[in-house]
Amino acid sequence: MNVTLCLTHDCNLRCAYCYAGVKSARRMSWETAKRALDFSFEQSLNRARFSGHEPESQLGFFGGEPLLEWDLLRRSAAYADEEAARLGIALKKTVTTNMALLDGQKAEWFRANHFYLGLSLDGNAAMHDTLRRFPDGRGSHAECAKALAYFRGPEARAEVIVVVDPRNVIGLADSVEWLMEQGVCNIALNPNFYTEWAEPAQETWRESYERIGGLYADRFRRNAPVRVNVFDGKIRVWLKEGYAACDKCGFGVDEIAVAPSGRLYPCERIVGDDTNAELCMGNVYDGFDKERRACVVACRGNTVEECAECSVRDRCMNWCSCINYATTGATDRVAGIVCFHERLAINAADRVASALFAERNPAFLAKFYNAARIG
Amino acid sequence: MNVKKVEKRSDPGYPSKRQFAEKAKAFGLAALGLGSLITAGCERVRTGGLMPVREGGASIVAPKPETPPRLRGDIRVDPNHQPQAVPPSGTAAP
């Protein structure tokens, strides 16, 4: 069971593309956090009994900005560790932060407590400050990027999340290059599908992925590969000839998000300002609203007829329910912009991977095939 | 913008794991071992807010249990649904 606790609706930034709803001081109480953890562990144990697998759980901290609730985060993580150990549940912990409050002490605490971090930073100052600003309108890059120093190199258990939006896509390739220069080895490009992408922006997006593909390939040629989720993801999905059932969205089944109020949603991207009645699946005190949850779960996936015969359907993320919902209003209807992006990503990844394979690039072969040339 | 079916597409110019396993020698390559072939570089976690571009080594993971059977209709079939009341939590705005 993956559970994400949205610790607060508040945030110290006002990013223009934020989907997390109106910012307010509503925060999660300790009682709600504890109940959410107990509830998620109950679910993990139930699922393990049902599947016959060892129980496991992933706990994510999200917001708003979760570091605004530092004491609650620490207390919740400590309780989760204790309970998971007592119940025999393998626990992974993640946090997604905008980095503005992330100093050396906190970075060390996360390291010591085995967290995996999502660091929201849109690359260089020009791209980042376009949309990620403080409430007073100042760009936040200078304050947020300082903490990158704690997460350099391939051993860092962190990824830098770059939100790609039509208003900042012009700086995307430069930003990825800048991140690589800073020593970031794990870059996640996170498209904003919640907005209109006009054709010129789509074209810029296409050109950017081509250039990023060149940067990505260059790192293999220098024997210093980096991970860029769009490229690594599409290459690996081809290696195993399509997404497996267990790769797909756990939306409402083994993936839940808890709003500060304790209400349950199928994904943290749906929580918003906690007013979505059609996707609210209960609360941590009374448990699941079974009828509503069954309805949410049943309507996952993709029912668009054109997709059924598409030759890249097995490598396409048309099943991501929260993106489908955000773009089409239905969890099972994929939007044209997602189709555009998936074709773009598959083509860009295949071009790079085909070239590196043709070269028999040692780093590429080692990373994706654990193989080497004979002789 | 609409969804566009990709009519026909040949395999990319690099092999899948299955193709590689069948023809490694023909490629002039040798596998160094199977373990990391499946899981190398995979951190099977998703940080909150990130689109799930998942890439884990799923081939050795058994499928998850079946989800409940699909119901007809869209999730909006119950427009009158109200979320259940929950105890108040959190602190008020200062």
Side-chain angles (χ1 to χ4, degrees):
Chain A
M1 172 64 75
N2 293 351
V3 61
T4 301
L5 303 189
C6 296
L7 297 183
T8 175
H9 286 289
D10 204 358
C11 187
N12 45 350
L13 300 187
R14 293 292 183 273
C15 305
Y17 44 56
C18 183
Y19 52 76
V22 177
K23 303 295 171 279
S24 70
R26 287 183 294 161
R27 58 182 290 274
M28 185 176 279
S29 67
W30 161 242
E31 290 71 27
T32 300
K34 179 175 180 295
R35 182 66 201 118
L37 294 167
D38 290 340
F39 178 78
S40 72
F41 289 151
E42 286 166 22
Q43 299 299 316
S44 294
L45 292 173
N46 286 342
R47 290 192 68 76
R49 273 194 288 273
F50 185 53
S51 68
H53 295 145
E54 292 299 310
E56 57 183 20
S57 185
Q58 184 188 308
L59 167 63
F61 292 99
F62 196 61
E65 169 51 44
L67 268 58
L68 288 172
E69 297 297 332
W70 180 240
D71 291 341
L72 178 62
L73 189 158
R74 284 170 48 122
R75 188 176 182 187
S76 301
Y79 178 75
D81 281 334
E82 280 174 24
E83 281 297 284
R86 186 177 69 81
L87 297 168
I89 297 173
L91 179 67
K92 292 178 178 174
K93 300 188 292 294
T94 73
V95 61
T96 302
T97 173
N98 62 35
M99 303 170 77
L101 299 173
L102 186 55
D103 57 19
Q105 209 171 3
K106 290 187 176 75
E108 173 53 27
W109 185 86
F110 282 126
R111 192 199 59 75
N113 285 276
H114 313 292
F115 268 77
Y116 183 85
L117 286 86
L119 306 171
S120 296
L121 186 84
D122 288 351
N124 63 17
M127 180 168 172
H128 181 98
D129 287 342
T130 303
L131 300 171
R132 297 187 71 84
R133 294 173 174 268
F134 287 108
D136 63 7
R138 281 181 301 125
S140 63
H141 188 267
E143 288 185 46
C144 297
K146 281 189 288 194
L148 268 189
Y150 308 115
F151 301 98
R152 290 186 173 130
E155 302 305 319
R157 295 194 70 235
E159 61 192 1
V160 171
I161 299 171
V162 178
V163 178
V164 185
D165 181 282
R167 293 162 287 184
N168 68 16
V169 68
I170 188 75
L172 176 59
D174 283 346
S175 276
V176 169
E177 186 169 21
W178 182 85
L179 287 169
M180 290 178 181
E181 288 168 0
Q182 303 307 305
V184 174
C185 292
N186 194 348
I187 299 168
L189 307 181
N190 199 25
N192 179 11
F193 291 121
Y194 296 58
T195 189
E196 285 295 315
W197 282 84
E199 279 196 19
Q202 289 176 32
E203 188 50 35
T204 307
W205 204 358
R206 186 192 311 276
E207 291 165 4
S208 300
Y209 273 18
E210 288 305 310
R211 213 181 119 204
I212 293 166
L215 298 168
Y216 179 82
D218 186 50
R219 292 295 297 247
F220 279 98
R221 292 175 182 127
R222 290 157 50 193
N223 196 28
V226 293
R227 174 179 176 271
V228 178
N229 66 338
V230 169
F231 290 84
D232 281 63
K234 292 305 179 197
I235 293 169
R236 285 194 195 281
V237 169
W238 165 245
L239 292 187
K240 57 186 184 182
E241 300 184 21
Y243 286 107
C246 54
D247 292 331
K248 297 183 182 177
C249 194
F251 200 75
V253 178
D254 56 4
E255 192 160 324
I256 56 170
V258 186
S261 66
R263 289 193 188 91
L264 298 168
Y265 291 90
C267 171
E268 74 282 350
R269 295 169 69 115
I270 301 290
V271 172
D273 42 19
D274 194 13
T275 54
N276 189 330
E278 64 180 350
L279 289 178
C280 179
M281 306 192 304
N283 65 71
V284 296
Y285 293 98
D286 301 323
F288 285 120
D289 173 341
K290 290 180 182 169
E291 187 181 340
R292 178 99 318 232
R293 186 192 186 202
C295 205
V296 169
V297 169
C299 295
R300 300 183 307 163
N302 177 28
T303 57
V304 173
E305 287 178 8
E306 289 89 331
C307 299
E309 295 176 4
C310 177
S311 66
V312 294
R313 67 183 180 279
D314 293 337
R315 298 176 70 191
C316 173
M317 282 190 37
N318 56 60
W319 39 262
C320 180
S321 298
C322 67
I323 292 173
N324 288 350
Y325 183 76
T327 50
T328 67
T331 53
D332 62 353
R333 304 286 297 176
V334 68
I337 188 62
V338 177
C339 175
F340 167 82
H341 176 262
E342 292 300 276
R343 285 182 281 120
L344 183 64
I346 290 167
N347 288 337
D350 283 355
R351 257 194 295 278
V352 170
S354 299
L356 291 168
F357 186 80
E359 295 167 21
R360 301 293 189 266
N361 177 278
F364 179 81
L365 294 172
K367 176 172 178 175
F368 289 107
Y369 298 93
N370 195 31
R373 284 177 199 245
I374 299 171
Chain B
M1 178 190 278
N2 296 318
V3 169
K4 287 182 190 168
K5 181 172 75 175
V6 178
E7 291 288 349
K8 199 173 178 185
R9 183 184 165 91
S10 53
D11 283 354
Y14 59 108
S16 66
K17 284 191 302 191
R18 179 182 53 81
Q19 292 167 337
F20 176 80
E22 289 168 0
K23 296 192 271 186
K25 272 191 184 172
F27 291 129
L29 302 169
L32 300 173
L34 282 176
S36 57
L37 177 62
I38 294 168
T39 57
C42 302
E43 182 93 35
R44 279 185 69 82
V45 294
R46 179 174 78 89
T47 51
L50 185 63
M51 187 172 107
V53 184
R54 295 180 190 185
E55 59 189 61
S59 56
I60 58 164
V61 181
K64 289 178 181 170
E66 288 295 313
T67 54
R70 180 180 172 75
L71 303 178
R72 290 289 168 203
D74 164 315
I75 51 176
R76 300 176 184 196
V77 291
D78 181 11
N80 297 318
H81 175 80
Q82 295 293 323
Q84 296 172 17
V86 294
S89 65
T91 55

